[in-house]
Amino acid sequence: MSQRSINLKEPHIPAPRRGEAADWRVLVVENDPAEAEALVRALKRHGHDVDSVTSGGAALQSYADVDLVLIDLELPDLDGLEVCRDIRSTCDVPVIAVTARGSELDRVLGLQAGADDYLVKPYGFRELMARMEAVMRRVRTPTPAVRAVSHGPLRVDAGSREVTLHGRAVDVTRKEFDLLYLLASNPGTVIPRKRLIHQIWGDSWSRRTVDTHVSSLRNKLGGSGWIVTVRGVGFRFGGPAN
């Protein structure tokens, strides 16, 4: 693999021992076999469980069970930006774009498409590792002080990170849980869209992020009344009869 894309000859960085740092399941989406092989090998040396695919279509079939996606935007079948949008519209897995597209506009488009970070080739492996660690730190939401919130048949338990409705479990994603817990912890309070974005997604979001998650939660809870839209402001927690 050439030095143009990734520098693997930097001073050796000891791989973390299991238990000292998280060992992540990483999906590498890279259409250059040599680049993919070198990156996969380096990540595995640092204790991560890594899979690699060469196309956008394969990426969309493989990201559901991973902790982090590293994606080249130059793919043979789909534009990497579209892949980022599709991933972000369905789940909250962190995505780092790793690409030769280096202009300011490219970076903006990548972040707007849902990438949590953007790294331009050529890059150093130590920088990649640092960016991965920073992204994973941001997605770890601290456990709220109040462990559980109940409203009628709905219970949102922060300790177990479980949602139940009429005693039955509701399957939600990590960010869907964070969004519902924040709203349910502040009943009757209109929470501005900007606060939701900052508190739950940090600096990484797309225009459709909040609306997509609200819509998904409403479907899973069986009604739109649980989350009420306040036009031009944000959202508030409602209830099944609202």
Side-chain angles (χ1 to χ4, degrees):
M1 179 178 176
S2 72
Q3 295 289 309
R4 293 173 50 218
S5 298
I6 176 173
N7 180 6
L8 295 179
K9 293 186 178 181
E10 296 185 359
H12 175 67
I13 309 167
R17 296 192 298 269
R18 297 190 76 90
E20 283 189 349
D23 300 316
W24 305 314
R25 295 163 296 173
V26 182
L27 176 64
V28 172
V29 186
E30 170 59 67
N31 69 344
D32 185 310
E35 292 191 15
E37 181 182 358
L39 182 53
V40 168
R41 185 169 58 248
L43 290 170
K44 286 184 175 180
R45 189 172 66 246
H46 284 257
H48 301 300
D49 182 7
V50 189
D51 287 324
S52 176
V53 297
T54 59
S55 68
L60 293 176
Q61 296 177 357
S62 307
Y63 70 86
D65 296 323
V66 305
D67 298 311
L68 179 69
V69 177
L70 302 177
I71 182 171
D72 188 344
L73 300 183
E74 299 289 347
L75 300 173
D77 55 342
L78 301 172
D79 189 297
L81 295 176
E82 289 300 322
V83 178
C84 287
R85 291 189 188 98
D86 286 346
I87 292 175
R88 188 56 64 237
S89 69
T90 58
C91 78
D92 308 301
V93 61
V95 177
I96 299 179
V98 182
T99 177
R101 299 180 185 177
S103 72
E104 179 182 7
L105 178 59
D106 287 325
R107 294 171 189 265
V108 170
L109 292 175
L111 295 172
Q112 289 181 339
D116 295 274
D117 202 351
Y118 196 99
L119 186 60
V120 178
K121 301 178 182 181
Y123 61 90
F125 185 69
R126 288 193 299 183
E127 181 182 3
L128 173 63
M129 290 295 294
R131 288 176 179 268
M132 290 170 60
E133 290 167 2
V135 165
M136 295 304 291
R137 280 197 303 270
R138 292 201 296 267
V139 302
R140 297 186 192 117
T141 304
T143 302
V146 178
R147 305 295 290 181
V149 178
S150 296
H151 295 282
L154 179 68
R155 177 179 172 84
V156 186
D157 191 324
S160 61
R161 293 187 67 82
E162 293 179 341
V163 177
T164 57
L165 183 63
H166 296 289
R168 297 182 178 180
V170 179
D171 185 20
V172 296
T173 68
R174 182 177 63 249
K175 295 300 185 185
E176 285 173 355
F177 180 91
D178 295 338
L179 175 60
L180 181 60
Y181 186 88
L182 178 57
L183 292 170
S185 299
N186 298 273
T189 301
V190 178
I191 300 182
R193 183 182 294 264
K194 287 185 178 180
R195 177 186 168 189
L196 292 173
I197 291 170
H198 176 75
Q199 190 163 337
I200 297 176
W201 286 275
D203 296 327
S204 302
W205 59 282
S206 66
R207 187 176 182 85
R208 294 166 45 197
T209 299
V210 179
D211 293 335
T212 297
H213 283 73
V214 167
S215 176
S216 178
L217 277 172
R218 285 170 172 166
N219 288 334
K220 292 178 179 181
L221 295 175
S224 61
W226 288 108
I227 301 176
V228 179
T229 301
V230 180
R231 290 189 179 277
V233 183
F235 300 90
R236 66 174 176 83
F237 185 80
N242 288 4

PDB file of all heavy atoms in Angstrom, residues 114-143:
ATOM      1  N   GLY A 114     -24.025  13.189   7.327  1.00  0.00           N
ATOM      2  CA  GLY A 114     -24.150  12.359   8.516  1.00  0.00           C
ATOM      3  C   GLY A 114     -22.857  11.807   9.052  1.00  0.00           C
ATOM      4  O   GLY A 114     -22.864  11.103  10.069  1.00  0.00           O
ATOM      5  N   ALA A 115     -21.723  12.100   8.396  1.00  0.00           N
ATOM      6  CA  ALA A 115     -20.437  11.636   8.927  1.00  0.00           C
ATOM      7  C   ALA A 115     -20.146  12.337  10.246  1.00  0.00           C
ATOM      8  O   ALA A 115     -20.394  13.534  10.394  1.00  0.00           O
ATOM      9  CB  ALA A 115     -19.323  11.898   7.921  1.00  0.00           C
ATOM     10  N   ASP A 116     -19.626  11.593  11.210  1.00  0.00           N
ATOM     11  CA  ASP A 116     -19.277  12.170  12.507  1.00  0.00           C
ATOM     12  C   ASP A 116     -17.914  12.862  12.469  1.00  0.00           C
ATOM     13  O   ASP A 116     -17.633  13.719  13.302  1.00  0.00           O
ATOM     14  CB  ASP A 116     -19.254  11.077  13.573  1.00  0.00           C
ATOM     15  CG  ASP A 116     -20.637  10.475  13.788  1.00  0.00           C
ATOM     16  OD1 ASP A 116     -21.392  11.044  14.592  1.00  0.00           O
ATOM     17  OD2 ASP A 116     -20.952   9.462  13.142  1.00  0.00           O
ATOM     18  N   ASP A 117     -17.085  12.489  11.520  1.00  0.00           N
ATOM     19  CA  ASP A 117     -15.783  13.130  11.343  1.00  0.00           C
ATOM     20  C   ASP A 117     -15.352  12.906   9.911  1.00  0.00           C
ATOM     21  O   ASP A 117     -15.935  12.094   9.183  1.00  0.00           O
ATOM     22  CB  ASP A 117     -14.750  12.553  12.324  1.00  0.00           C
ATOM     23  CG  ASP A 117     -13.573  13.494  12.568  1.00  0.00           C
ATOM     24  OD1 ASP A 117     -13.468  14.519  11.858  1.00  0.00           O
ATOM     25  OD2 ASP A 117     -12.770  13.206  13.466  1.00  0.00           O
ATOM     26  N   TYR A 118     -14.300  13.638   9.508  1.00  0.00           N
ATOM     27  CA  TYR A 118     -13.895  13.631   8.101  1.00  0.00           C
ATOM     28  C   TYR A 118     -12.373  13.677   8.068  1.00  0.00           C
ATOM     29  O   TYR A 118     -11.765  14.617   8.596  1.00  0.00           O
ATOM     30  CB  TYR A 118     -14.490  14.848   7.398  1.00  0.00           C
ATOM     31  CG  TYR A 118     -14.484  14.795   5.884  1.00  0.00           C
ATOM     32  CD1 TYR A 118     -15.631  14.434   5.184  1.00  0.00           C
ATOM     33  CD2 TYR A 118     -13.349  15.123   5.151  1.00  0.00           C
ATOM     34  CE1 TYR A 118     -15.650  14.403   3.808  1.00  0.00           C
ATOM     35  CE2 TYR A 118     -13.361  15.094   3.772  1.00  0.00           C
ATOM     36  CZ  TYR A 118     -14.518  14.730   3.090  1.00  0.00           C
ATOM     37  OH  TYR A 118     -14.523  14.704   1.720  1.00  0.00           O
ATOM     38  N   LEU A 119     -11.751  12.672   7.475  1.00  0.00           N
ATOM     39  CA  LEU A 119     -10.289  12.569   7.425  1.00  0.00           C
ATOM     40  C   LEU A 119      -9.852  12.447   5.977  1.00  0.00           C
ATOM     41  O   LEU A 119     -10.341  11.596   5.241  1.00  0.00           O
ATOM     42  CB  LEU A 119      -9.831  11.352   8.232  1.00  0.00           C
ATOM     43  CG  LEU A 119      -8.339  11.145   8.410  1.00  0.00           C
ATOM     44  CD1 LEU A 119      -7.706  12.329   9.138  1.00  0.00           C
ATOM     45  CD2 LEU A 119      -8.080   9.854   9.188  1.00  0.00           C
ATOM     46  N   VAL A 120      -8.936  13.345   5.582  1.00  0.00           N
ATOM     47  CA  VAL A 120      -8.510  13.408   4.181  1.00  0.00           C
ATOM     48  C   VAL A 120      -7.223  12.611   3.973  1.00  0.00           C
ATOM     49  O   VAL A 120      -6.285  12.704   4.761  1.00  0.00           O
ATOM     50  CB  VAL A 120      -8.296  14.876   3.742  1.00  0.00           C
ATOM     51  CG1 VAL A 120      -7.810  14.940   2.293  1.00  0.00           C
ATOM     52  CG2 VAL A 120      -9.593  15.665   3.899  1.00  0.00           C
ATOM     53  N   LYS A 121      -7.196  11.809   2.910  1.00  0.00           N
ATOM     54  CA  LYS A 121      -5.987  11.091   2.511  1.00  0.00           C
ATOM     55  C   LYS A 121      -5.004  12.063   1.853  1.00  0.00           C
ATOM     56  O   LYS A 121      -5.454  12.949   1.122  1.00  0.00           O
ATOM     57  CB  LYS A 121      -6.333   9.983   1.516  1.00  0.00           C
ATOM     58  CG  LYS A 121      -7.310   8.934   2.033  1.00  0.00           C
ATOM     59  CD  LYS A 121      -7.593   7.924   0.937  1.00  0.00           C
ATOM     60  CE  LYS A 121      -8.602   6.877   1.378  1.00  0.00           C
ATOM     61  NZ  LYS A 121      -8.867   5.883   0.313  1.00  0.00           N
ATOM     62  N   PRO A 122      -3.709  11.904   2.060  1.00  0.00           N
ATOM     63  CA  PRO A 122      -3.065  10.913   2.938  1.00  0.00           C
ATOM     64  C   PRO A 122      -3.168  11.304   4.400  1.00  0.00           C
ATOM     65  O   PRO A 122      -3.242  12.481   4.725  1.00  0.00           O
ATOM     66  CB  PRO A 122      -1.616  10.941   2.467  1.00  0.00           C
ATOM     67  CG  PRO A 122      -1.423  12.339   1.963  1.00  0.00           C
ATOM     68  CD  PRO A 122      -2.729  12.736   1.330  1.00  0.00           C
ATOM     69  N   TYR A 123      -3.189  10.326   5.269  1.00  0.00           N
ATOM     70  CA  TYR A 123      -3.315  10.597   6.693  1.00  0.00           C
ATOM     71  C   TYR A 123      -2.422   9.632   7.462  1.00  0.00           C
ATOM     72  O   TYR A 123      -1.963   8.617   6.936  1.00  0.00           O
ATOM     73  CB  TYR A 123      -4.767  10.427   7.154  1.00  0.00           C
ATOM     74  CG  TYR A 123      -5.313   9.023   6.952  1.00  0.00           C
ATOM     75  CD1 TYR A 123      -5.193   8.062   7.942  1.00  0.00           C
ATOM     76  CD2 TYR A 123      -5.935   8.666   5.760  1.00  0.00           C
ATOM     77  CE1 TYR A 123      -5.669   6.774   7.761  1.00  0.00           C
ATOM     78  CE2 TYR A 123      -6.423   7.389   5.567  1.00  0.00           C
ATOM     79  CZ  TYR A 123      -6.284   6.447   6.572  1.00  0.00           C
ATOM     80  OH  TYR A 123      -6.757   5.179   6.383  1.00  0.00           O
ATOM     81  N   GLY A 124      -2.174   9.957   8.704  1.00  0.00           N
ATOM     82  CA  GLY A 124      -1.384   9.081   9.557  1.00  0.00           C
ATOM     83  C   GLY A 124      -2.274   8.193  10.394  1.00  0.00           C
ATOM     84  O   GLY A 124      -3.365   8.599  10.809  1.00  0.00           O
ATOM     85  N   PHE A 125      -1.821   6.982  10.655  1.00  0.00           N
ATOM     86  CA  PHE A 125      -2.638   6.040  11.402  1.00  0.00           C
ATOM     87  C   PHE A 125      -2.891   6.526  12.826  1.00  0.00           C
ATOM     88  O   PHE A 125      -3.967   6.314  13.373  1.00  0.00           O
ATOM     89  CB  PHE A 125      -1.970   4.660  11.428  1.00  0.00           C
ATOM     90  CG  PHE A 125      -2.822   3.612  12.075  1.00  0.00           C
ATOM     91  CD1 PHE A 125      -3.983   3.163  11.466  1.00  0.00           C
ATOM     92  CD2 PHE A 125      -2.474   3.078  13.308  1.00  0.00           C
ATOM     93  CE1 PHE A 125      -4.785   2.206  12.064  1.00  0.00           C
ATOM     94  CE2 PHE A 125      -3.269   2.110  13.911  1.00  0.00           C
ATOM     95  CZ  PHE A 125      -4.421   1.673  13.291  1.00  0.00           C
ATOM     96  N   ARG A 126      -1.925   7.198  13.428  1.00  0.00           N
ATOM     97  CA  ARG A 126      -2.135   7.714  14.777  1.00  0.00           C
ATOM     98  C   ARG A 126      -3.268   8.747  14.801  1.00  0.00           C
ATOM     99  O   ARG A 126      -4.059   8.790  15.743  1.00  0.00           O
ATOM    100  CB  ARG A 126      -0.840   8.326  15.329  1.00  0.00           C
ATOM    101  CG  ARG A 126       0.206   7.297  15.692  1.00  0.00           C
ATOM    102  CD  ARG A 126       1.320   7.909  16.507  1.00  0.00           C
ATOM    103  NE  ARG A 126       2.022   8.971  15.782  1.00  0.00           N
ATOM    104  CZ  ARG A 126       3.067   9.626  16.254  1.00  0.00           C
ATOM    105  NH1 ARG A 126       3.531   9.337  17.466  1.00  0.00           N
ATOM    106  NH2 ARG A 126       3.664  10.553  15.544  1.00  0.00           N
ATOM    107  N   GLU A 127      -3.344   9.572  13.752  1.00  0.00           N
ATOM    108  CA  GLU A 127      -4.436  10.546  13.699  1.00  0.00           C
ATOM    109  C   GLU A 127      -5.775   9.839  13.551  1.00  0.00           C
ATOM    110  O   GLU A 127      -6.768  10.217  14.189  1.00  0.00           O
ATOM    111  CB  GLU A 127      -4.238  11.525  12.544  1.00  0.00           C
ATOM    112  CG  GLU A 127      -5.348  12.562  12.467  1.00  0.00           C
ATOM    113  CD  GLU A 127      -5.213  13.525  11.305  1.00  0.00           C
ATOM    114  OE1 GLU A 127      -4.270  13.353  10.494  1.00  0.00           O
ATOM    115  OE2 GLU A 127      -6.054  14.440  11.192  1.00  0.00           O
ATOM    116  N   LEU A 128      -5.812   8.808  12.707  1.00  0.00           N
ATOM    117  CA  LEU A 128      -7.054   8.054  12.550  1.00  0.00           C
ATOM    118  C   LEU A 128      -7.504   7.469  13.886  1.00  0.00           C
ATOM    119  O   LEU A 128      -8.680   7.568  14.257  1.00  0.00           O
ATOM    120  CB  LEU A 128      -6.872   6.936  11.526  1.00  0.00           C
ATOM    121  CG  LEU A 128      -8.058   5.968  11.381  1.00  0.00           C
ATOM    122  CD1 LEU A 128      -9.298   6.688  10.881  1.00  0.00           C
ATOM    123  CD2 LEU A 128      -7.700   4.801  10.472  1.00  0.00           C
ATOM    124  N   MET A 129      -6.566   6.854  14.622  1.00  0.00           N
ATOM    125  CA  MET A 129      -6.917   6.264  15.910  1.00  0.00           C
ATOM    126  C   MET A 129      -7.429   7.327  16.876  1.00  0.00           C
ATOM    127  O   MET A 129      -8.408   7.109  17.614  1.00  0.00           O
ATOM    128  CB  MET A 129      -5.693   5.556  16.500  1.00  0.00           C
ATOM    129  CG  MET A 129      -5.293   4.289  15.763  1.00  0.00           C
ATOM    130  SD  MET A 129      -6.544   2.993  15.878  1.00  0.00           S
ATOM    131  CE  MET A 129      -6.485   2.631  17.629  1.00  0.00           C
ATOM    132  N   ALA A 130      -6.790   8.494  16.879  1.00  0.00           N
ATOM    133  CA  ALA A 130      -7.224   9.571  17.773  1.00  0.00           C
ATOM    134  C   ALA A 130      -8.628  10.039  17.421  1.00  0.00           C
ATOM    135  O   ALA A 130      -9.456  10.308  18.297  1.00  0.00           O
ATOM    136  CB  ALA A 130      -6.237  10.737  17.704  1.00  0.00           C
ATOM    137  N   ARG A 131      -8.916  10.147  16.128  1.00  0.00           N
ATOM    138  CA  ARG A 131     -10.245  10.579  15.699  1.00  0.00           C
ATOM    139  C   ARG A 131     -11.303   9.520  16.031  1.00  0.00           C
ATOM    140  O   ARG A 131     -12.425   9.849  16.420  1.00  0.00           O
ATOM    141  CB  ARG A 131     -10.248  10.889  14.206  1.00  0.00           C
ATOM    142  CG  ARG A 131      -9.500  12.169  13.858  1.00  0.00           C
ATOM    143  CD  ARG A 131      -9.441  12.387  12.355  1.00  0.00           C
ATOM    144  NE  ARG A 131      -8.751  13.610  12.002  1.00  0.00           N
ATOM    145  CZ  ARG A 131      -9.341  14.779  11.820  1.00  0.00           C
ATOM    146  NH1 ARG A 131     -10.648  14.881  11.971  1.00  0.00           N
ATOM    147  NH2 ARG A 131      -8.639  15.838  11.469  1.00  0.00           N
ATOM    148  N   MET A 132     -10.952   8.252  15.864  1.00  0.00           N
ATOM    149  CA  MET A 132     -11.876   7.187  16.232  1.00  0.00           C
ATOM    150  C   MET A 132     -12.203   7.250  17.720  1.00  0.00           C
ATOM    151  O   MET A 132     -13.367   7.145  18.124  1.00  0.00           O
ATOM    152  CB  MET A 132     -11.272   5.821  15.871  1.00  0.00           C
ATOM    153  CG  MET A 132     -11.178   5.552  14.382  1.00  0.00           C
ATOM    154  SD  MET A 132     -10.206   4.066  13.976  1.00  0.00           S
ATOM    155  CE  MET A 132     -11.150   2.793  14.819  1.00  0.00           C
ATOM    156  N   GLU A 133     -11.182   7.432  18.544  1.00  0.00           N
ATOM    157  CA  GLU A 133     -11.398   7.502  19.988  1.00  0.00           C
ATOM    158  C   GLU A 133     -12.249   8.720  20.358  1.00  0.00           C
ATOM    159  O   GLU A 133     -13.123   8.634  21.231  1.00  0.00           O
ATOM    160  CB  GLU A 133     -10.053   7.550  20.707  1.00  0.00           C
ATOM    161  CG  GLU A 133      -9.291   6.225  20.629  1.00  0.00           C
ATOM    162  CD  GLU A 133      -7.851   6.356  21.063  1.00  0.00           C
ATOM    163  OE1 GLU A 133      -7.449   7.479  21.456  1.00  0.00           O
ATOM    164  OE2 GLU A 133      -7.124   5.348  21.001  1.00  0.00           O
ATOM    165  N   ALA A 134     -12.011   9.855  19.688  1.00  0.00           N
ATOM    166  CA  ALA A 134     -12.790  11.062  19.975  1.00  0.00           C
ATOM    167  C   ALA A 134     -14.252  10.865  19.603  1.00  0.00           C
ATOM    168  O   ALA A 134     -15.165  11.269  20.346  1.00  0.00           O
ATOM    169  CB  ALA A 134     -12.202  12.257  19.224  1.00  0.00           C
ATOM    170  N   VAL A 135     -14.508  10.260  18.453  1.00  0.00           N
ATOM    171  CA  VAL A 135     -15.883  10.016  18.023  1.00  0.00           C
ATOM    172  C   VAL A 135     -16.585   9.068  18.990  1.00  0.00           C
ATOM    173  O   VAL A 135     -17.737   9.293  19.382  1.00  0.00           O
ATOM    174  CB  VAL A 135     -15.907   9.450  16.591  1.00  0.00           C
ATOM    175  CG1 VAL A 135     -17.274   8.859  16.259  1.00  0.00           C
ATOM    176  CG2 VAL A 135     -15.559  10.536  15.582  1.00  0.00           C
ATOM    177  N   MET A 136     -15.896   8.008  19.400  1.00  0.00           N
ATOM    178  CA  MET A 136     -16.519   7.057  20.303  1.00  0.00           C
ATOM    179  C   MET A 136     -16.769   7.657  21.681  1.00  0.00           C
ATOM    180  O   MET A 136     -17.742   7.306  22.340  1.00  0.00           O
ATOM    181  CB  MET A 136     -15.650   5.794  20.408  1.00  0.00           C
ATOM    182  CG  MET A 136     -15.542   5.010  19.106  1.00  0.00           C
ATOM    183  SD  MET A 136     -17.147   4.522  18.411  1.00  0.00           S
ATOM    184  CE  MET A 136     -17.676   3.303  19.614  1.00  0.00           C
ATOM    185  N   ARG A 137     -15.923   8.584  22.111  1.00  0.00           N
ATOM    186  CA  ARG A 137     -16.180   9.274  23.377  1.00  0.00           C
ATOM    187  C   ARG A 137     -17.459  10.093  23.290  1.00  0.00           C
ATOM    188  O   ARG A 137     -18.241  10.160  24.234  1.00  0.00           O
ATOM    189  CB  ARG A 137     -15.010  10.199  23.744  1.00  0.00           C
ATOM    190  CG  ARG A 137     -13.829   9.506  24.367  1.00  0.00           C
ATOM    191  CD  ARG A 137     -12.928  10.502  25.075  1.00  0.00           C
ATOM    192  NE  ARG A 137     -12.457  11.574  24.203  1.00  0.00           N
ATOM    193  CZ  ARG A 137     -11.347  11.515  23.485  1.00  0.00           C
ATOM    194  NH1 ARG A 137     -10.589  10.424  23.522  1.00  0.00           N
ATOM    195  NH2 ARG A 137     -10.986  12.530  22.724  1.00  0.00           N
ATOM    196  N   ARG A 138     -17.674  10.738  22.141  1.00  0.00           N
ATOM    197  CA  ARG A 138     -18.852  11.594  21.989  1.00  0.00           C
ATOM    198  C   ARG A 138     -20.149  10.800  21.992  1.00  0.00           C
ATOM    199  O   ARG A 138     -21.181  11.307  22.402  1.00  0.00           O
ATOM    200  CB  ARG A 138     -18.754  12.414  20.697  1.00  0.00           C
ATOM    201  CG  ARG A 138     -17.668  13.466  20.707  1.00  0.00           C
ATOM    202  CD  ARG A 138     -17.955  14.532  19.671  1.00  0.00           C
ATOM    203  NE  ARG A 138     -17.938  14.031  18.323  1.00  0.00           N
ATOM    204  CZ  ARG A 138     -16.867  14.037  17.532  1.00  0.00           C
ATOM    205  NH1 ARG A 138     -15.720  14.494  17.989  1.00  0.00           N
ATOM    206  NH2 ARG A 138     -16.938  13.583  16.303  1.00  0.00           N
ATOM    207  N   VAL A 139     -20.102   9.560  21.515  1.00  0.00           N
ATOM    208  CA  VAL A 139     -21.350   8.795  21.425  1.00  0.00           C
ATOM    209  C   VAL A 139     -21.679   8.083  22.720  1.00  0.00           C
ATOM    210  O   VAL A 139     -22.758   7.514  22.854  1.00  0.00           O
ATOM    211  CB  VAL A 139     -21.309   7.759  20.277  1.00  0.00           C
ATOM    212  CG1 VAL A 139     -21.055   8.443  18.958  1.00  0.00           C
ATOM    213  CG2 VAL A 139     -20.289   6.664  20.539  1.00  0.00           C
ATOM    214  N   ARG A 140     -20.755   8.101  23.677  1.00  0.00           N
ATOM    215  CA  ARG A 140     -21.048   7.497  24.975  1.00  0.00           C
ATOM    216  C   ARG A 140     -21.813   8.504  25.811  1.00  0.00           C
ATOM    217  O   ARG A 140     -21.247   9.456  26.328  1.00  0.00           O
ATOM    218  CB  ARG A 140     -19.760   7.100  25.690  1.00  0.00           C
ATOM    219  CG  ARG A 140     -18.954   6.035  24.952  1.00  0.00           C
ATOM    220  CD  ARG A 140     -17.788   5.610  25.810  1.00  0.00           C
ATOM    221  NE  ARG A 140     -16.857   4.811  25.017  1.00  0.00           N
ATOM    222  CZ  ARG A 140     -15.601   5.163  24.759  1.00  0.00           C
ATOM    223  NH1 ARG A 140     -15.124   6.300  25.242  1.00  0.00           N
ATOM    224  NH2 ARG A 140     -14.823   4.397  24.043  1.00  0.00           N
ATOM    225  N   THR A 141     -23.121   8.329  25.921  1.00  0.00           N
ATOM    226  CA  THR A 141     -23.968   9.248  26.669  1.00  0.00           C
ATOM    227  C   THR A 141     -23.937   8.897  28.150  1.00  0.00           C
ATOM    228  O   THR A 141     -24.224   7.765  28.518  1.00  0.00           O
ATOM    229  CB  THR A 141     -25.419   9.187  26.169  1.00  0.00           C
ATOM    230  OG1 THR A 141     -25.430   9.459  24.768  1.00  0.00           O
ATOM    231  CG2 THR A 141     -26.295  10.189  26.917  1.00  0.00           C
ATOM    232  N   PRO A 142     -23.596   9.849  29.039  1.00  0.00           N
ATOM    233  CA  PRO A 142     -23.576   9.548  30.468  1.00  0.00           C
ATOM    234  C   PRO A 142     -24.954   9.110  30.964  1.00  0.00           C
ATOM    235  O   PRO A 142     -25.983   9.569  30.480  1.00  0.00           O
ATOM    236  CB  PRO A 142     -23.179  10.890  31.108  1.00  0.00           C
ATOM    237  CG  PRO A 142     -22.523  11.663  30.006  1.00  0.00           C
ATOM    238  CD  PRO A 142     -23.198  11.232  28.751  1.00  0.00           C
ATOM    239  N   THR A 143     -24.946   8.201  31.918  1.00  0.00           N
ATOM    240  CA  THR A 143     -26.204   7.734  32.497  1.00  0.00           C
ATOM    241  C   THR A 143     -26.849   8.842  33.302  1.00  0.00           C
ATOM    242  O   THR A 143     -26.211   9.409  34.187  1.00  0.00           O
ATOM    243  CB  THR A 143     -25.956   6.524  33.411  1.00  0.00           C
ATOM    244  OG1 THR A 143     -25.345   5.490  32.659  1.00  0.00           O
ATOM    245  CG2 THR A 143     -27.267   6.023  34.005  1.00  0.00           C
TER     246      THR A 143
END
